[in-house]
Amino acid sequence: MEIIAIANQKGGVGKTTTAVNLTAGLHAEGQRVLLIDLDPQGNATSGAGLEKRELPASIADVMLGEAGLIEVIQASPSGFDVVGANGDLSGIDIALMGQVDTHLILANAVATLKDQAQKDEVKNYDYVIIDCAPSLNLLTINAMLATDGGVIIPMQCEYYALEGLADLSQTIERLQELNEELHIRGVVRTLFDARNTLANDVSAELETHFGKLMYHTIIPRNVRLAEAPAHGMPVLDYESTSKGAQAYRKLADEVIEQSRQLTLDLE
Ligand SMILES: Nc1ncnc2c1ncn2[C@@H]1O[C@H](COP(=O)(O)OP(=O)(O)OP(=O)(O)O)[C@@H](O)[C@H]1O
Ligand SMILES: [Mg+2]
């Protein structure tokens, strides 16, 4: 079971689109995947086809110590599993104020889930994908401390793309003291418009900056990707032949290949 966080404190760069569609892509490749929504906006929840206002239980219950992950997992219409989020998650840092180790709540919950998978009490997921909010707050820190499969950073190739990156890198570096497995798994270019000169320049700059950490797959700006959430579907279910769907399938392949390479390296 690999735990991967999708994070970038910049808003609207395609985190949720990547979380939902990478999950669907991995699922389509026969992987067992759990998508955890860790954003009070609940966009990954609704994008995966769950009604965020009618969740029987959510990640907020886990964060408040009232439930384990196993108790809040729901099946999505697409066939992968989801732990949903909604407005109940907002203000959680205030609710947790004064308690100890609040940064490790999700890490502990994930450790329990792994134990339960060992005992066959829950599906032994290949991947757990966590969609983060556009912030470096307590929730995002919880996600980063829960990962062992690294952080995937979606980046839009625009002028300000690299701004704020220092904060993100610094946060990751600091948190490595608490989670030695924390690392950047890869950077994925999103909302890409190949006809745009600036986008190409920024893309080249990202390659210089991140080198091998760049995914080869580039997610194009694709209207089907923007439409799919309104239908409560990953783009693979909404229009499997679209450029957006194909791109996320390719990204899923790259992520699986990374895992395979890691296993080979360990042997
Ligand atoms: N490749 C794409 N092509 C077209 N539209 C896209 C693409 N990726 C994302 N979008 C649209 O752009 C908007 C922002 O995307 P998304 O919600 O995935 O970003 P986010 O980083 O999760 O945002 P937030 O920071 O608010 O959580 C959404 O309306 C989404 O449908
Ligand atoms: Mg989002």
Side-chain angles (χ1 to χ4, degrees):
M1 195 185 294
E2 281 188 79
I3 321 297
I4 299 173
I6 314 290
N8 186 339
Q9 80 275 27
K10 261 175 92 76
V13 296
K15 289 181 290 295
T16 301
T17 305
T18 298
V20 171
N21 293 297
L22 174 61
T23 297
L26 290 167
H27 175 72
E29 297 293 342
Q31 305 292 310
R32 288 158 297 186
V33 200
L34 172 64
L35 172 65
I36 298 181
D37 191 350
L38 200 59
D39 183 348
Q41 295 182 97
N43 293 340
T45 304
S46 48
L50 301 183
E51 186 48 69
K52 67 182 169 196
R53 283 174 198 85
E54 289 161 19
L55 294 175
S58 74
I59 191 68
D61 301 305
V62 176
M63 293 304 297
L64 290 169
E66 288 162 7
L69 283 168
I70 196 172
E71 292 155 273
V72 298
I73 292 172
Q74 285 180 267
S76 76
S78 301
F80 54 79
D81 287 347
V82 179
V83 171
N86 54 28
D88 292 350
L89 194 56
S90 57
I92 209 93
D93 31 3
I94 294 169
L96 292 172
M97 224 148 70
Q99 294 188 26
V100 291
D101 290 343
T102 52
H103 54 295
L104 290 170
I105 296 172
L106 193 60
N108 291 331
V110 163
T112 303
L113 189 75
K114 285 187 174 179
D115 277 346
Q116 290 163 332
Q118 289 292 316
K119 295 184 208 144
D120 279 335
E121 292 168 6
V122 68
K123 236 179 265 180
N124 194 0
Y125 296 104
D126 298 298
Y127 295 98
V128 177
I129 307 290
I130 308 172
D131 184 31
C132 294
S135 147
L136 292 172
N137 63 9
L138 180 68
L139 289 171
T140 304
I141 290 169
N142 262 274
M144 289 188 178
L145 294 180
T147 61
D148 54 13
V151 179
I152 295 179
I153 307 176
M155 280 216 175
Q156 200 179 335
C157 293
E158 53 170 28
Y159 186 65
Y160 293 112
L162 292 165
E163 204 174 75
L165 207 62
D167 292 338
L168 184 58
S169 306
Q170 206 175 48
T171 302
I172 291 176
E173 253 165 58
R174 284 203 190 133
L175 293 177
Q176 275 166 344
E177 283 174 28
L178 297 169
N179 175 11
E180 57 184 27
E181 290 178 302
L182 177 59
H183 63 280
I184 298 176
R185 185 180 185 107
V187 175
V188 56
R189 286 160 279 194
T190 56
L191 285 146
F192 192 75
D193 179 0
R195 291 162 306 181
N196 182 323
T197 317
L198 178 65
N200 284 295
D201 289 351
V202 174
S203 174
E205 200 177 331
L206 286 177
E207 270 170 10
T208 313
H209 192 271
F210 285 104
K212 275 194 184 146
L213 284 177
M214 296 303 293
Y215 284 109
H216 298 297
T217 308
I218 298 179
I219 310 297
R221 191 176 278 278
N222 176 254
V223 68
R224 298 289 175 256
L225 279 170
E227 288 168 358
H231 301 267
M233 282 182 205
V235 73
L236 266 174
D237 291 342
Y238 178 61
E239 199 171 307
S240 63
T241 55
S242 62
K243 289 247 158 37
Q246 287 168 4
Y248 276 109
R249 274 300 277 268
K250 269 182 68 187
L251 184 65
D253 289 339
E254 269 196 79
V255 167
I256 293 169
E257 179 56 28
Q258 285 181 313
S259 306
R260 215 179 58 89
Q261 212 55 50
L262 195 72
T263 320
L264 287 179
D265 290 350
L266 289 176
E267 280 168 13

